């Protein structure tokens, strides 16, 4: 079987830096051709240049709906001229995205029709992106088909069965990404099983959508290398962990290794390898050893509860060999309490070096090139700090230990790429988020991907996978996410 990756972004950050190696790895696995997709006009020259250089890489030209507002005046003549290059074999990606709404909807529709007219004139297939816009996508394609047929395909199909049937009826092909392999993508898998083979394409949408193995773990994509920001879930459990002392697994299957949970913490690693640690749980030594971590460049604390800070002594070996203390930051009240409890960590004595130089979070906006945003969250009668990390256009949100959704939280996390959310159990709790609240926050913020953490013994990993939307999944200790 000859494999063609019908949709990838080889010139995106995270792939372009090692593009020859990425292509070679894909070729070694049997991929024989690549369609390199453009999303904005300024990319066209580089994407065509890649296709000129690599004999098995082809190019598309077009404007993604996210970029429609900044290309509202793009005329057919410009697109036709770019499409005339012999290495260009597609128009797009274009279409409608009402989920993110980065561009005005009418502008998206108008630009979509421009692309369709170019596809009709050139005979090149139009690559259609549609999200939360089935009705308008169907209406526009049907209207334009009535004015004259044109070749088209739906990229990264995740829509409904009736929509799939209508697109096939209108003559379109359908392309499936790694999402179809997700364990909770049963509806999509049923649709895929009914698609005619001569109208079916496959794609990676690299570097975005990794497929899954049969056991539910992510495949290491040949084209998903060198992403800008890395998130590691060091711990994903509650203050008592899973299992609890007494070998109490609750509803969690003890034979599923992802159910073994230490206390919550994360590591954010920037594009230059700089590492920011969030919280110092009592399991920190075990987490560092398990994940091979021997260095951090900064520490942030969400609050001073024991399961989030009483592993602070395990930072001491990481101080060895440093010219100075590790920078540390927290909200003012957390700073006060940490200093009161662990004064020796922040002011060396008896010949021991100061381990951490602790400062108020309000004094910092960036650490080691990673932008830091934050707000306070209700945590029962107390408060906990929410964090947002930004670098190279990639965004991560972290909200553990909260009991209420606030407008500040929604503003902080709005449209982050990944949002890690407190999800103690299914039923409400006085100081923690439950499953319904966690999903509500992910939906309200329009996060691209949701990760559920701070899971107790009632939250079996595999069971939870079957209960969440396809863009939401439970965390597990040692989980790594490339953003």
């Amino acid at each position: 079987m000859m494999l063609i990756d019908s949709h990838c972004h080889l010139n995106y950050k995270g792939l372009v830096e090692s593009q020859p190696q990425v292509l070679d790895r894909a070729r070694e696995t049997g991929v024989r051709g690549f369609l390199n997709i453009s999303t904005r006009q300024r990319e066209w020259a580089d994407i065509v240049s890649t296709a000129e250089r690599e004999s098995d890489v082809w190019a598309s030209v077009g404007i993604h709906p996210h970029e429609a507002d900044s290309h509202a005046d793009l005329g057919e003549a410009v697109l036709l001229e770019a499409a005339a290059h012999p290495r260009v074999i597609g128009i797009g990606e274009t279409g409608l995205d009402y989920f993110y709404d980065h561009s005005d909807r009418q502008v998206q529709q108008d630009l979509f029709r421009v692309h369709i007219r170019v596809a009709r004139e050139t005979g090149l297939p139009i690559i259609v992106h549609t999200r939360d816009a089935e009705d308008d996508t169907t209406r526009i394609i049907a209207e334009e088909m009535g004015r004259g047929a044109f070749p088209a395909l739906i990229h990264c199909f995740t829509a409904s069965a009736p929509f799939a049937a209508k697109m096939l009826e209108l003559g379109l092909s359908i392309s499936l990404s790694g999402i179809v392999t997700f364990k909770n993508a049963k509806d999509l898998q049923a649709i895929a099983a009914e698609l005619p083979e001569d109208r079916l394409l496959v794609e990676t949408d690299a570097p975005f959508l990794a497929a899954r193995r049969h056991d539910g773990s992510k495949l290491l994509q040949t084209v998903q290398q060198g992403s800008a920001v890395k998130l590691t879930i060091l711990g994903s459990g509650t203050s008592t962990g899973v299992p609890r002392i007494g070998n109490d697994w609750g509803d969690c299957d003890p034979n599923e290794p992802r159910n073994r949970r230490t206390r919550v913490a994360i590591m954010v690693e920037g594009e230059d390898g700089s590492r920011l640690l969030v919280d110092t749980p009592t399991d920190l030594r075990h987490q560092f050893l398990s994940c091979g971590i021997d260095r951090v460049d900064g520490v942030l604390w969400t609050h001073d509860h024991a399961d989030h800070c009483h592993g602070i002594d395990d930072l001491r070996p990481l101080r060895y060999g440093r010219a100075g203390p590790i920078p540390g930051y927290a909200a003012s009240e957390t700073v006060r309490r940490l200093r009161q409890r662990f004064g020796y960590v922040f002011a060396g004595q008896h010949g021991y070096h100061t381990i951490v130089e602790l400062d108020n979070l309000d004094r910092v906006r960036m650490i080691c090139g990673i932008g830091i945003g934050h707000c306070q969250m209700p945590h029962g009668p107390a408060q906990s700090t929410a964090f947002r990390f930004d670098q190279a256009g990639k965004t991560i949100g972290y909200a553990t230990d909260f009991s209420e959704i606030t407008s500040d939280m929604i503003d902080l996390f709005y449209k982050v790429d990944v949002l890690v959310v407190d999800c103690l159990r299914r039923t409400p709790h006085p100081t923690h988020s439950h499953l319904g609240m966690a999903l509500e926050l992910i939906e309200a913020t329009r996060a691209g991907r949701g990760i559920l953490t701070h899971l107790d013994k009632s939250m079996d990993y595999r069971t939870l996978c079957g209960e969440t939307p396809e863009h939401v999944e439970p965390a597990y200790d040692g989980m790594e996410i490339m953003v």
Side-chain angles (χ1 to χ4, degrees):
M1 176 185 296
M2 182 172 69
L3 294 174
I4 303 294
D5 187 349
S6 67
H7 193 112
C8 56
H9 299 276
L10 296 172
N11 289 66
Y12 269 28
K13 188 174 182 64
L15 296 185
V16 69
E17 300 90 341
S18 55
Q19 192 183 85
Q21 294 84 358
V22 167
L23 288 168
D24 285 345
R25 285 194 294 269
R27 291 164 181 146
E28 289 170 4
T29 65
V31 181
R32 294 293 175 260
F34 310 83
L35 179 52
N36 195 16
I37 303 295
S38 68
T39 59
R40 52 180 75 87
Q41 188 177 5
R42 67 173 181 266
E43 298 172 346
W44 294 355
D46 286 343
I47 286 174
V48 169
S49 176
T50 299
E52 290 174 331
R53 185 173 61 252
E54 304 286 348
S55 62
D56 53 357
V57 175
W58 302 84
S60 79
V61 290
I63 307 300
H64 192 284
H66 288 350
E67 309 295 332
D69 279 352
S70 60
H71 295 77
D73 297 329
L74 184 79
E76 293 173 42
V78 174
L79 196 51
L80 280 167
E81 181 181 359
H85 193 283
R87 300 298 294 176
V88 173
I89 62 170
I91 306 298
E93 75 184 86
T94 184
L96 307 175
D97 194 309
Y98 294 173
F99 178 81
Y100 285 109
D101 270 336
H102 285 337
S103 291
D104 179 83
R105 292 185 179 186
Q106 188 59 54
V107 175
Q108 292 185 48
Q109 293 178 27
D110 293 345
L111 199 56
F112 187 18
R113 291 184 189 272
V114 169
H115 285 72
I116 289 174
R117 292 195 290 271
V118 170
R120 185 186 295 121
E121 183 167 341
T122 62
L124 298 177
I126 186 170
I127 301 149
V128 180
H129 170 113
T130 180
R131 190 167 184 188
D132 284 6
E134 289 186 20
D135 290 347
D136 280 349
T137 301
T138 301
R139 175 179 57 82
I140 290 172
I141 291 175
E143 289 174 359
E144 293 293 339
M145 283 291 183
R147 299 184 174 100
F150 55 91
L153 65 92
I154 301 296
H155 137 70
C156 188
F157 184 89
T158 57
S160 66
F163 182 72
K166 186 62 178 178
M167 293 301 101
L168 292 172
E169 179 186 327
L170 288 168
L172 277 72
S173 296
I174 290 178
S175 182
L176 299 174
S177 71
I179 290 175
V180 76
T181 67
F182 289 11
K183 193 170 184 178
N184 55 359
K186 302 299 184 186
D187 291 346
L188 181 58
Q189 292 163 10
I191 294 170
E194 300 298 322
L195 295 176
E197 290 185 7
D198 62 344
R199 307 277 283 283
L200 175 64
L201 296 91
V202 293
E203 63 178 83
T204 62
D205 199 17
F208 299 113
L209 298 173
R212 305 268 170 164
R213 300 184 188 277
H214 293 300
D215 65 0
S217 62
K218 260 191 175 183
L219 285 171
L220 180 60
Q221 276 184 288
T222 57
V223 290
Q224 191 176 26
Q225 305 289 330
S227 296
V229 182
K230 176 181 175 181
L231 168 66
T232 302
I233 305 293
L234 300 178
S236 58
T238 67
S239 58
T240 55
V242 179
R244 289 182 179 176
I245 291 174
N247 206 35
D248 179 7
W249 290 87
D251 295 325
C252 291
D253 179 2
N255 295 313
E256 168 54 72
R258 285 165 290 197
N259 281 332
R260 186 175 291 275
R261 299 169 182 138
T262 58
R263 297 166 181 91
V264 289
I266 63 167
M267 179 79 75
V268 176
E269 186 169 332
E271 59 184 351
D272 64 350
S274 299
R275 293 171 174 170
L276 300 183
L277 171 68
V278 180
D279 285 336
T280 54
T282 46
D283 300 304
L284 190 61
R285 178 180 179 276
H286 170 76
Q287 293 167 349
F288 279 175
L289 291 171
S290 297
C291 296
I293 294 169
D294 59 3
R295 172 183 55 80
V296 298
D297 300 290
V299 186
L300 302 166
W301 280 274
T302 59
H303 60 305
D304 71 307
H305 286 178
D307 54 320
H308 292 261
C309 68
H310 278 205
I312 196 168
D313 282 1
D314 289 330
L315 295 175
R316 187 156 57 96
L318 278 60
R319 171 68 170 85
Y320 301 156
R322 288 182 59 94
I326 302 168
Y329 302 92
S332 57
E333 179 60 18
T334 303
V335 167
R336 186 186 69 79
R337 295 186 178 209
L338 290 175
R339 287 190 185 280
Q340 185 179 52
R341 203 176 307 166
F342 304 106
Y344 62 93
V345 171
F346 310 115
Q349 53 187 323
H350 309 303
Y352 289 97
H353 290 298
T354 298
I355 300 170
V356 175
E357 184 175 350
L358 185 61
D359 206 344
N360 194 307
L361 193 54
D362 289 335
R363 297 180 183 274
V364 65
R365 292 292 180 269
M366 181 174 288
I367 306 173
C368 299
I370 300 173
I372 309 294
H374 59 91
C375 73
Q376 293 302 101
M377 305 183 294
H379 179 28
Q383 287 191 321
S384 176
T385 302
F387 290 103
R388 175 180 173 130
F389 303 94
D390 295 81
Q391 189 180 60
K394 308 296 184 181
T395 52
I396 297 169
Y398 188 59
T400 186
D401 290 46
F402 70 92
S403 53
E404 179 185 338
I405 298 173
T406 67
S407 59
D408 285 346
M409 293 166 62
I410 294 173
D411 290 344
L412 180 69
F413 295 136
Y414 193 61
K415 292 184 178 180
V416 293
D417 295 309
V418 178
L419 180 56
V420 184
V421 184
D422 181 14
C423 184
L424 182 72
R425 62 191 192 191
R426 292 173 181 82
T427 57
H429 187 276
T431 62
H432 283 276
S433 172
H434 59 286
L435 179 57
M437 185 181 292
L439 295 178
E440 180 184 349
L441 180 61
I442 293 167
E443 177 66 22
T445 58
R446 298 191 178 186
R449 183 177 177 188
I451 308 295
L452 307 178
T453 195
H454 210 290
L455 304 164
D456 79 358
K457 64 176 185 173
S458 69
M459 304 293 260
D460 177 72
Y461 178 85
R462 290 183 178 271
T463 302
L464 197 53
C465 282
E467 297 175 350
T468 55
E470 59 189 31
H471 66 299
V472 179
E473 60 190 301
Y476 57 87
D477 288 20
M479 182 183 196
E480 294 183 350
I481 300 161
M482 304 302 292
V483 184

